[in-house]
């Protein structure tokens, strides 16, 4: 922090422009020291990683400055919204660890928004336009081109009022007329060229049912809802910068119950190799490209949760990325490094063989079973140890054995000695093949003096591999995931992100063999499979695991390459 940093008592230690504005307002007594923000999702999709950013900003900005944050559903579009989305949003917010002071719905304000619209008409600030949508948008003009005023613009207020009431009463067909604000058809900001405030739309609304056939637009609903609730700082993303003058215009012409809220914009959070467009995510679900909104490949909070991402690592990532005024795409590897560091501290270690091949120890005493005490998590000795059974009949990974070892392959091959993690040194002596010539079994001898995996005489082995005792192994299904989009910036070449979908983003391994302790893994719990990565137990399907992240810190590698 620089010498001249303000001495305002901030326990967060970071200065950010939103916090600065709020603190300045508090110091000056604007809003009488009240701070109130809201997180305003439209219930037309599930929350994604970008929403986690908005949630963190909205809640932290309030809570760090003695205020409150509400959840408000921006449910003004009956066609795309649904209670499925409302429920998932409430659940995901809770999972992320944020508790809204209140849960509000813009649809609860439909009466008031309607009343305020009539008020604007009475003030000669709004009129009913009976032209069709195409004509209205053609008349809007463009940058440098003046707009054309509607022939209905100067109709008497009582005529507009009459039409508006009859619009509400359902006398007119969808799309036949709209209510528009009367601002300035030559304004350089297109948003102020007599924007539409209400349209006729016969859609069944998930809360108001069929009570309304007219619905407010975003611009008429949002700021007014903020004002009705007493929001002080209305935080949103940069695409709303051009809407701010309209936000202010609407509020400055209404008799507000509270001081006028202030819209402040910040940059969206985007990640490489994925998208945060709800429309596109919805398409992946509808197409069956993924299994649902909570598919572990999705950037949705439900997807990340199923994938095994701890909520606290998502929040920490969002906080650490800071708030900015320029949109940026962060490397997904950076988020993964937050996840990996978090899981490293808490995940229990287990052994799992994903692509098994038999390893049989020919000099093992017939029928003998040994139990090794293995630490559950070397990072946290309090997690204790567990007993893992060892016998002469084991499974190891296919790719930990090579019949013809390539250069720099130091794992098992004929005549080569390796360590079976925590158990013994073994040397491969022979192999068994099936009719097609595939290796189905490796035969080996063990050195009884290397018990615990310790060298008896100082001789070294070049590698340690994991294993599972065959008589004790439990079958499991494991899903490995790759990037959902193969391009870092999906759509960068064609303009359509879905063109960059990775066709092999999931590999399902259905014949895995894992240690018995994994049968006790709780639904959703994340464990480390030794040498392979972190894996989350599916919340519903027993013995089904999703790979969260691998063990290698790719973010560190990227940083190193950059120098
Ligand atoms: P759509 O994709 O339909 O345009 P949206 O992503 O804007 O919708 P909303 O439900 O309207 O979704 O978003 C709720 C809040 O989350 C808004 O304040 C919005 O600015 C914010 N938000 C949405 N996406 C991001 C993102 N990628 N990064 C940060 N904030 C976001
Ligand atoms: Mg939106």
């Amino acid at each position: 922090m620089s010498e001249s940093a303000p001495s305002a008592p901030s326990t967060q230690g970071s200065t950010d422009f939103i916090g600065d504005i709020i603190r300045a307002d508090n110091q000056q007594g604007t809003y009488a020291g009240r701070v109130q923000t809201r997180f305003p999702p439209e219930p037309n999709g599930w929350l994604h990683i970008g929403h986690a950013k908005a949630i963190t900003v909205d809640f932290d900005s309030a809570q760090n400055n003695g205020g409150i944050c509400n959840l408000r559903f921006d449910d003004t579009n009956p066609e795309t919204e649904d209670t499925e989305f409302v429920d998932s949003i409430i659940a995901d917010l809770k999972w992320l660890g944020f508790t809204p002071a209140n849960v509000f719905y813009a649809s609860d304000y439909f009466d008031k928004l309607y009343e305020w619209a009539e008020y604007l008409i009475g003030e000669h600030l709004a009129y009913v336009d009976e032209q069709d949508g195409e004509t209205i948008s053609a008349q809007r003009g463009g940058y440098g081109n003046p707009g054309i005023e509607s022939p209905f613009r100067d109709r008497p207020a009582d005529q507009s009022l009459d039409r508006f009431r009859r619009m509400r009463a359902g006398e007119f067909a969808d799309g036949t007329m709209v209510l528009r604000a009367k601002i300035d058809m030559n304004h350089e900001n297109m948003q102020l060229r007599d924007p539409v405030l209400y349209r006729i739309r016969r859609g069944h609304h998930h809360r108001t049912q069929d009570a309304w056939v007219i619905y407010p637009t975003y611009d008429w609903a949002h700021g007014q809802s903020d004002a009705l609730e007493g929001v002080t700082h209305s935080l949103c993303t940069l695409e709303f910068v051009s809407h701010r003058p309209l936000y202010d215009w609407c509020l400055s012409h209404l008799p507000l119950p509270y001081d006028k809220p202030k819209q402040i914009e910040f940059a969206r959070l985007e990640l490489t190799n994925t998208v945060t467009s709800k429309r596109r995510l919805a398409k992946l679900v509808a197409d069956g490209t993924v299994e649902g909104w909570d598919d572990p490949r999705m950037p949705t909070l439900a997807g990340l949760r199923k994938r095994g991402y701890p909520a606290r690592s998502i929040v920490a990532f969002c906080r650490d990325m800071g708030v900015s005024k320029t949109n940026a795409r962060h490397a997904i590897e950076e988020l993964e490094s937050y996840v990996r560091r978090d899981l490293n501290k808490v995940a229990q270690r287990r052994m799992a063989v994903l692509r098994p091949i038999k390893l049989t120890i020919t000099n093992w005493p017939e029928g003998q079973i040994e139990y090794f005490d293995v630490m559950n998590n070397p990072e946290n000795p309090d997690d204790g140890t567990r007993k893992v059974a060892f016998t002469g009949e084991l499974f190891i990974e296919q790719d930990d054995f090579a019949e013809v070892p390539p250069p720099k392959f130091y794992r098992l091959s004929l005549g080569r000695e390796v360590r079976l993690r925590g158990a013994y040194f073994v040397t491969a002596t022979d192999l068994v093949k099936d009719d097609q010539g595939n290796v189905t079994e490796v035969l080996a001898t063990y050195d009884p003096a290397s018990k615990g995996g310790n060298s008896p005489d100082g001789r070294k082995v070049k590698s340690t591999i994991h294993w599972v005792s065959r008589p004790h192994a439990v079958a499991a299904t494991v899903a490995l995931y790759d990037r959902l989009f193969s391009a870092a910036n999906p759509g960068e070449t064609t303009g359509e992100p879905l063109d960059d979908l990775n066709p092999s983003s999931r590999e399902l391994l259905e014949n895995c063999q894992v240690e018995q302790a994994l049968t006790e893994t709780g639904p959703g719990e994340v464990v480390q499979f030794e040498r392979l990565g972190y894996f989350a137990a599916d919340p519903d399907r027993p013995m089904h695991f999703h790979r969260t992240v691998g063990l290698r810190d790719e973010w560190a590698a990227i940083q190193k390459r950059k120098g």
Side-chain angles (χ1 to χ4, degrees):
M1 211 184 262
S2 75
E3 293 286 301
S4 59
S7 56
S10 160
T11 52
Q12 293 306 303
S14 82
T15 52
D16 65 281
F17 69 91
I18 295 176
D20 291 344
I21 294 170
I22 294 176
R23 284 185 287 274
D25 279 335
N26 272 349
Q27 264 159 20
Q28 289 155 21
T30 328
Y31 304 115
R34 275 187 333 106
V35 177
Q36 186 172 319
T37 61
R38 82 287 168 271
F39 170 61
E42 183 179 350
N44 61 352
W46 292 46
L47 297 182
H48 53 61
I49 182 76
H51 290 119
K53 175 76 192 189
I55 290 166
T56 306
V57 172
D58 293 334
F59 278 82
D60 285 357
S61 297
Q63 290 170 357
N64 293 343
N65 294 292
I68 60 163
C69 180
N70 296 315
L71 169 61
R72 181 176 71 237
F73 289 101
D74 221 339
D75 56 346
T76 55
N77 183 355
E79 271 138 38
T80 54
E81 297 164 3
D82 196 79
T83 46
E84 169 205 340
F85 302 126
V86 169
D87 295 344
S88 75
I89 289 169
I90 289 174
D92 288 347
L93 190 60
K94 184 171 177 203
W95 174 69
L96 214 49
F98 293 97
T99 310
N102 300 281
V103 179
F104 293 135
Y105 295 82
S107 56
D108 283 343
Y109 312 137
F110 281 172
D111 283 319
K112 188 69 192 177
L113 294 173
Y114 177 83
E115 185 190 308
W116 270 350
E118 285 205 353
Y119 174 86
L120 270 199
I121 295 171
E123 298 287 298
H124 305 279
L125 292 170
Y127 60 97
V128 170
D129 194 339
E130 299 182 30
Q131 304 181 103
D132 61 45
E134 246 171 67
T135 310
I136 292 175
S137 66
Q139 288 173 350
R140 187 159 283 134
Y143 292 100
N145 286 324
I148 297 167
E149 294 189 349
S150 162
F152 295 95
R153 193 171 200 264
D154 292 317
R155 75 195 310 179
D158 54 358
Q159 221 182 65
S160 277
L161 203 54
D162 169 72
R163 297 295 188 284
F164 189 49
R165 288 179 177 160
R166 287 162 59 194
M167 275 169 66
R168 178 189 186 167
E171 287 188 30
F172 309 116
D174 285 18
T176 51
M177 48 187 85
V178 292
L179 182 73
R180 298 176 73 179
K182 189 171 172 180
I183 309 180
D184 182 354
M185 285 308 290
N186 289 325
H187 204 284
E188 59 180 20
N189 181 339
M190 296 298 131
Q191 308 286 351
L192 295 181
R193 293 192 179 179
D194 291 11
V196 173
L197 305 183
Y198 268 95
R199 22 188 166 59
I200 308 173
R201 185 166 285 186
R202 283 172 178 77
H204 184 78
H205 189 280
H206 64 104
R207 295 188 81 241
T208 57
Q209 316 296 338
D210 301 308
W212 293 86
V213 297
I214 58 171
Y215 288 92
T217 55
Y218 171 87
D219 290 305
W220 184 246
H222 203 90
Q224 286 49 256
S225 302
D226 284 345
L228 288 168
E229 290 167 1
V231 166
T232 56
H233 300 83
S234 181
L235 314 179
C236 61
T237 38
L238 290 175
E239 65 269 28
F240 295 103
V241 167
S242 68
H243 293 247
R244 188 183 345 120
L246 178 54
Y247 182 98
D248 290 335
W249 183 92
C250 293
L251 293 177
S252 62
H253 290 101
L254 294 171
L256 305 180
Y258 295 95
D259 290 328
K260 189 158 89 63
K262 199 178 270 188
Q263 177 179 308
I264 308 169
E265 311 84 13
F266 60 93
R268 292 174 74 88
L269 174 89
E270 303 289 351
L271 290 178
T272 55
N273 301 93
T274 194
V275 301
T276 63
S277 150
K278 278 191 283 188
R279 186 167 63 78
R280 296 206 171 78
L281 295 175
K283 185 152 192 301
L284 296 178
V285 174
D287 283 356
T289 306
V290 294
E291 284 186 354
W293 285 94
D294 65 347
D295 185 295
R297 290 166 290 181
M298 293 280 271
T300 53
L301 297 184
L304 298 175
R305 172 167 68 235
K306 198 181 255 189
R307 179 86 173 248
Y309 280 38
R312 57 180 178 267
S313 62
I314 295 174
V315 173
F317 173 77
C318 289
R319 284 188 175 136
D320 289 355
M321 293 307 106
V323 189
S324 134
K325 275 280 188 193
T326 35
N327 285 324
R329 206 175 264 279
H330 294 274
I332 195 163
E333 289 85 356
E334 188 168 10
L335 172 58
E336 288 176 337
S337 77
Y338 275 73
V339 170
R340 190 180 293 109
R341 262 180 284 152
D342 187 298
L343 293 176
N344 181 42
K345 283 181 254 150
V346 299
Q348 307 278 296
R349 272 54 169 175
R350 296 288 182 262
M351 286 204 280
V353 177
L354 303 190
R355 296 176 184 89
I357 182 177
K358 289 178 186 171
L359 177 79
T360 304
I361 301 176
T362 51
N363 60 339
W364 185 260
E366 175 91 38
Q368 180 170 307
I369 304 173
E370 258 182 53
Y371 291 92
F372 289 109
D373 285 312
V374 180
M375 282 191 88
N376 284 321
N377 183 0
E379 296 289 320
N380 181 21
D382 289 347
D383 281 341
T385 60
R386 69 188 184 287
K387 295 221 179 292
V388 180
F390 185 90
T391 63
E393 298 182 321
L394 307 165
F395 285 119
I396 61 169
E397 296 286 349
Q398 281 166 24
D399 64 5
D400 279 337
F401 175 80
E403 188 180 358
V404 184
K408 296 199 178 150
F409 182 93
Y410 299 119
R411 288 163 281 160
L412 200 59
S413 57
L414 290 178
R416 174 92 48 81
E417 185 172 52
V418 300
R419 175 188 293 108
L420 294 178
R421 170 157 288 188
Y424 288 103
F425 283 11
V426 291
T427 305
T429 54
D430 206 352
L431 44 82
V432 181
K433 290 185 178 178
D434 65 14
D435 297 343
Q436 281 95 52
N438 302 310
V439 178
T440 55
E441 185 173 356
V442 178
L443 305 181
T445 54
Y446 84 115
D447 178 357
S450 62
K451 187 168 178 158
N454 302 310
S455 180
D457 52 11
R459 78 178 187 272
K460 292 204 165 62
V461 287
K462 282 211 167 137
S463 77
T464 299
I465 65 176
H466 61 275
W467 49 272
V468 177
S469 163
R470 265 161 24 219
H472 301 89
V474 181
T477 298
V478 173
L480 301 181
Y481 297 108
D482 195 353
R483 303 292 179 223
L484 185 53
F485 292 83
S486 39
N489 183 0
E492 64 192 338
T493 43
T494 66
E496 175 45 65
L498 296 177
D499 291 342
D500 286 320
L501 265 179
N502 175 2
S504 42
S505 52
R506 184 178 72 173
E507 185 183 0
L508 206 57
L509 302 174
E510 295 182 290
N511 300 306
C512 307
Q513 297 287 339
V514 305
E515 75 166 273
Q516 229 157 25
L518 281 167
T519 58
E520 283 150 40
T521 306
E525 187 184 342
V526 185
V527 293
Q528 184 192 102
F529 289 174
E530 302 247 11
R531 299 178 63 228
L532 299 174
Y534 295 96
F535 292 76
D538 189 88
D540 304 310
R541 290 169 286 189
M543 298 314 288
H544 188 113
F545 296 88
H546 306 280
R547 184 166 65 190
T548 315
V549 282
L551 293 177
R552 198 176 96 93
D553 189 345
E554 291 169 35
W555 176 240
I558 289 171
Q559 296 300 94
K560 208 170 157 191
R561 275 202 299 279
K562 280 190 195 155

